[in-house]
């Protein structure tokens, strides 16, 4: 089984969100996940959401971690495994999922994470916290996620500037 773990330090500046997306795209490409795959598009949206939450709501530096596990498990060369995103910051304030309504411009981030990730949560880390989400790297999981929320993912990615 292969394991790849990389991390990026994030300054408490909204401009860091774009830098984090670019960094994550290059790391995914290096791991064999093509930029146009639904998994990659979903991961970049999740990076945007978690990093945005860290820089906007904490005012603290953060660390974005990307962990990829996988092994080739069939003759086609498909990879099974998992991708985990983590954003750790020095704020002890727990994440507060909200439900935005109508024309509100905020409050949808963790709701998107909950809808797109296979699993997500948060843990205390030192004096701060780590928010994480995981996506399974298997054809059934990716195809199912695209079928369930494909149109919503595209709309959200457009709205958040991922596309």
């Amino acid at each position: 089984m292969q394991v790849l773990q990389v991390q990026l330090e994030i300054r408490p500046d909204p401009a860091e969100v774009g830098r984090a997306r670019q960094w994550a795209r290059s790391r995914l490409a290096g791991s064999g996940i093509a930029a146009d795959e639904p998994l990659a598009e979903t991961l970049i949206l999740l990076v945007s959401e978690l990093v945005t939450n860290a820089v906007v709501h904490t005012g603290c530096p953060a660390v974005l971690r990307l962990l990829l596990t996988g092994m080739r498990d069939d003759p086609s060369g498909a990879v099974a495994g998992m991708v985990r995103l983590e954003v750790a910051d020095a704020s002890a304030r727990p994440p507060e999922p909200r439900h935005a309504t109508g024309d509100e411009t905020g409050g949808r981030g963790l709701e998107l994470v909950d809808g797109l990730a296979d699993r997500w949560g948060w843990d205390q880390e030192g004096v701060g916290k780590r928010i994480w989400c995981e996506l399974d790297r298997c054809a059934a999981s990716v195809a199912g996620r695209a079928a369930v929320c494909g149109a919503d993912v595209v709309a959200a990615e457009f709205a958040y500037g991922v596309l």
Side-chain angles (χ1 to χ4, degrees), residues 4 6 8 19-33 35 44 66 68:
L4 170 69
V6 291
L8 174 69
R19 187 171 76 92
R21 282 194 302 260
Q22 183 179 23
W23 175 86
R25 276 189 191 102
S26 69
R27 296 316 176 272
L28 292 174
S31 73
I33 299 173
I44 297 305
L66 178 62
L68 298 110

Side-chain angles (χ1 to χ4, degrees), residues 7 10 16 22 37 55 79 86 116 121 135 137:
Q7 68 180 38
I10 305 290
E16 290 288 85
Q22 183 179 23
E37 287 184 46
V55 301
V79 176
E86 299 178 353
L116 295 174
L135 291 120
R137 293 179 72 186

Side-chain angles (χ1 to χ4, degrees), residues 5-6 25 29 67 98 123 141:
Q5 179 177 340
V6 291
R25 276 189 191 102
L67 297 93
R98 296 179 21 211
D123 305 299
S141 176

